[in-house]
């Protein structure tokens, strides 16, 4: 089966600009996660969707970050306006309804964002 | 507070020797524990998990991990390291029943020929 797809792989923007990342999970996976991984740190969960509903967005900086999963399949994460500290790799992951009982997450390759 | 700690930023081991990458956790409910590996410019790959049952779990690429409830640890082990095992390893915990995942800061494993 195809893995989790993310685009773009790399993005360079100036501070105060906006940017959007796209994720297409593994087919049939109900749960989708967005993580932020700053260099030298472990991934930090930004938002978790179950189908098209938000399960957890407690660590999402809502003044500048937004995410949606309108049809319960692919998802978009947006940053507007970007700050220098947003430079990181943004990882998308998904898990299935069955596998989720054991909570295995499958990760995409990530989008490396550089804010200058 | 819920958390995961990986006390070693880096572990160096010679090829053929056993390796251990340490992880301790703190959760309020039952822990579901995971190890992931990350190669350069790649996403995280699942290695193994502990949900319940035997304290020693076996995973991909010859890795295993031992769950120790009294020490709240879940150390990753391999009897004989390979140069190709060199990568960044992350421990993670899912805190039941809050359905929240927490990752450690990662340990860089260097296996030298």
């Amino acid at each position: 089966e195809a893995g989790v797809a993310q685009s773009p792989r790399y993005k360079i923007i100036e501070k105060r600009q906006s940017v959007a990342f796209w994720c297409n999970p593994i087919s049939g996976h109900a749960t989708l996660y967005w993580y932020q991984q700053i260099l030298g740190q472990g991934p930090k969960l930004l938002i978790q969707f179950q189908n098209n509903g938000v399960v957890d967005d407690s660590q999402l900086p809502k003044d500048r970050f937004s995410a949606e999963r309108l049809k319960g399949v692919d998802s978009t994460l947006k940053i507007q306006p970007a700050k220098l500290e947003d430079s990181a790799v943004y990882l998308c992951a998904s898990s299935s309804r069955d596998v989720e009982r054991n909570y295995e997450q499958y990760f995409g390759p990530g989008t490396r964002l550089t804010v200058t | 507070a819920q958390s995961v700690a990986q006390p070693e930023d880096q572990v160096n081991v010679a090829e053929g020797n056993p390796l251990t990458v340490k992880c301790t956790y703190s959760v309020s409910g039952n822990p579901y524990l995971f190890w992931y590996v990350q190669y350069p410019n790649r996403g995280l790959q699942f290695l193994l998990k502990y949900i319940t049952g035997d304290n020693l779990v076996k995973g991909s690429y010859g890795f295993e991990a031992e769950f120790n409830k009294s020490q709240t640890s879940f150390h990753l082990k391999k009897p004989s390291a390979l140069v190709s095992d060199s990568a960044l390893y992350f421990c993670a915990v899912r805190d039941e029943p809050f359905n929240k995942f927490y990752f450690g800061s990662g340990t860089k494993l260097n296996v030298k020929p």
Side-chain angles (χ1 to χ4, degrees), chain B residues 79-101:
Chain B
S80 179
L82 299 173
V83 172
S84 57
D85 293 330
S86 298
L88 193 55
Y89 290 81
F90 289 97
C91 181
V93 64
R94 182 182 184 277
D95 187 8
E96 287 289 310
F98 303 103
N99 193 24
K100 288 179 180 277
F101 277 91

Side-chain angles (χ1 to χ4, degrees), chain A residues 15-71:
Chain A
K15 59 183 179 183
R16 292 187 290 274
Q17 286 186 326
S18 61
V19 64
F21 312 128
W22 175 82
C23 172
N24 191 26
I26 292 174
S27 178
H29 280 196
T31 308
L32 186 148
Y33 313 78
W34 282 103
Y35 289 89
Q36 180 192 57
Q37 186 178 16
I38 294 174
L39 186 64
Q41 299 180 18
K44 182 183 80 172
L45 181 67
L46 293 176
I47 189 166
Q48 178 180 341
F49 291 95
Q50 179 74 22
N51 296 309
N52 60 351
V54 175
V55 173
D56 180 7
D57 63 356
S58 57
Q59 297 194 92
L60 186 73
K62 298 180 185 64
D63 58 335
R64 298 184 301 106
F65 286 65
S66 64
E68 59 184 15
R69 193 185 184 198
L70 293 176
K71 297 182 179 179

Side-chain angles (χ1 to χ4, degrees), chain B residues 13-62:
Chain B
V13 64
E15 187 175 32
N17 284 358
L19 69 87
T20 298
V21 182
K22 296 180 180 177
C23 171
T24 59
Y25 65 91
S26 173
V27 297
S28 54
N30 292 323
Y32 288 12
L33 296 154
F34 304 82
W35 276 102
Y36 286 84
V37 59
Q38 187 175 36
Y39 297 99
N41 299 315
R42 302 278 295 276
L44 279 70
Q45 297 177 32
F46 170 79
L47 275 181
L48 51 79
K49 64 178 182 281
Y50 171 83
I51 305 298
T52 186
D54 290 339
N55 290 341
L56 184 66
V57 293
K58 295 186 182 296
S60 306
Y61 313 121

